[in-house]
Amino acid sequence: MSEIQSPAGPLSSLRLEERLRDTKLFFSQALRTFHATGSILPSSAALAHSMAEYVRSRPVPDKPVRILEAGAGTGAISRGIAAAMIPGDTLDLVESNPEFAAHVEELLRSDPAMTPVADSATVHAKLVNDMGRDRRYDVIVSGLPFANFTADAVRDILDYYFEVLEPGGTLSFYGYLYTKEVKAVIARREDYLRQARTSWLVQDWIDRYGIRSDKVFANVPPAWVHHLRKPGKTG
């Protein structure tokens, strides 16, 4: 386990007006569809940097990888992925919210952190499970708010990820610190039990396939980032 306090490299140079624009859009959509966003603020640059760890730390340094980002949102984590990409990499950005998907499309045309990978990236305005099972990826980065879903829904998503992930490939996702403790105090009993069942399922996957977990305090709220590897060969 490691602790990540602040971003590094090109992520820290994003213009303030771009962050404010993303926050305004994210906040407006979160108020309408909190179940699908899981937060009222977009992810920080520090969280994005951690989520892109295995885009940077690829098994063969100069070998291109195929990347899936599920739940691209306003592109906060997409920027971290883009910063870690090399020529030859490909990126599928999946976002079911049409407002967010259109925003990410615009980022590929106009955002200085995203335009360098525009020719290698495709936005898909759909649920990740609807992407089809004939695709293959080396790295999956998931921003989906598992804590807001049922255990059955999360199981279906994780099963899909591991079906389209190449043997030896990695899955990275995050969850907020202290979620269970807070819900135990303020949530209705049925909501707490639903979240607890989901948490037990996710922890089982972490126990079986986890290779690294990081605490990211430079995010609102602070988060765990979990990295899993599908059994099999790498390289």
Side-chain angles (χ1 to χ4, degrees), residues 29-43:
Q29 292 297 306
L31 291 178
R32 293 171 48 199
T33 59
F34 181 79
H35 176 79
T37 56
S39 179
I40 59 172
L41 291 174
S43 300

Side-chain angles (χ1 to χ4, degrees), residues 146 149-157 194 196-199 201:
F146 289 159
F149 299 165
T150 66
D152 287 343
V154 173
R155 182 182 294 107
D156 288 345
I157 293 168
R194 176 200 54 74
R197 285 190 286 269
T198 298
S199 178
L201 172 69

Side-chain angles (χ1 to χ4, degrees), residues 38-75:
S39 179
I40 59 172
L41 291 174
S43 300
S44 70
L47 182 56
H49 186 76
S50 180
M51 289 282 280
E53 173 64 27
Y54 287 92
V55 181
R56 289 187 302 276
S57 304
R58 57 193 69 205
V60 181
D62 297 322
K63 182 179 179 180
V65 293
R66 296 157 294 178
I67 309 157
L68 167 67
E69 182 188 3
T74 58

Side-chain angles (χ1 to χ4, degrees), residues 19-210:
R19 296 186 186 184
L20 293 174
R21 176 195 59 193
D22 292 356
T23 300
K24 181 179 179 181
L25 174 62
F26 192 95
F27 184 72
S28 67
Q29 292 297 306
L31 291 178
R32 293 171 48 199
T33 59
F34 181 79
H35 176 79
T37 56
S39 179
I40 59 172
L41 291 174
S43 300
S44 70
L47 182 56
H49 186 76
S50 180
M51 289 282 280
E53 173 64 27
Y54 287 92
V55 181
R56 289 187 302 276
S57 304
R58 57 193 69 205
V60 181
D62 297 322
K63 182 179 179 180
V65 293
R66 296 157 294 178
I67 309 157
L68 167 67
E69 182 188 3
T74 58
I77 291 173
S78 309
R79 290 187 177 103
I81 296 170
M85 290 173 65
I86 65 172
D89 287 351
T90 59
L91 172 61
D92 280 329
L93 298 149
V94 183
E95 175 52 57
S96 62
N97 182 306
E99 295 283 344
F100 286 162
H103 179 72
V104 175
E105 284 272 17
E106 177 57 31
L107 293 182
L108 289 170
R109 292 189 290 267
S110 63
D111 188 286
M114 295 294 292
T115 53
V117 303
D119 292 340
S120 305
T122 306
V123 178
H124 305 266
K126 59 177 66 175
L127 296 170
V128 68
N129 308 58
D130 293 336
M131 285 288 287
R133 299 181 178 274
D134 57 343
R135 297 174 179 270
R136 292 295 178 266
Y137 298 99
D138 304 293
V139 180
I140 298 177
V141 176
S142 176
L144 298 178
F146 289 159
N148 284 21
F149 299 165
T150 66
D152 287 343
V154 173
R155 182 182 294 107
D156 288 345
I157 293 168
L158 290 172
D159 283 344
Y160 175 76
Y161 287 163
F162 265 49
E163 183 169 347
V164 298
L165 194 60
E166 289 282 11
T170 55
L171 163 66
S172 300
F173 62 88
Y174 68 90
Y176 297 124
L177 271 68
Y178 316 122
T179 299
K180 284 193 298 183
E181 292 82 354
V182 171
K183 287 203 172 186
V185 174
I186 67 173
R188 295 179 300 175
R189 183 174 183 273
E190 57 268 30
D191 289 338
Y192 172 73
L193 291 175
R194 176 200 54 74
Q195 195 274 337
R197 285 190 286 269
T198 298
S199 178
W200 295 332
L201 172 69
V202 170
Q203 188 60 52
D204 178 59
W205 280 72
I206 294 169
D207 292 342
R208 284 191 286 163
Y209 304 115

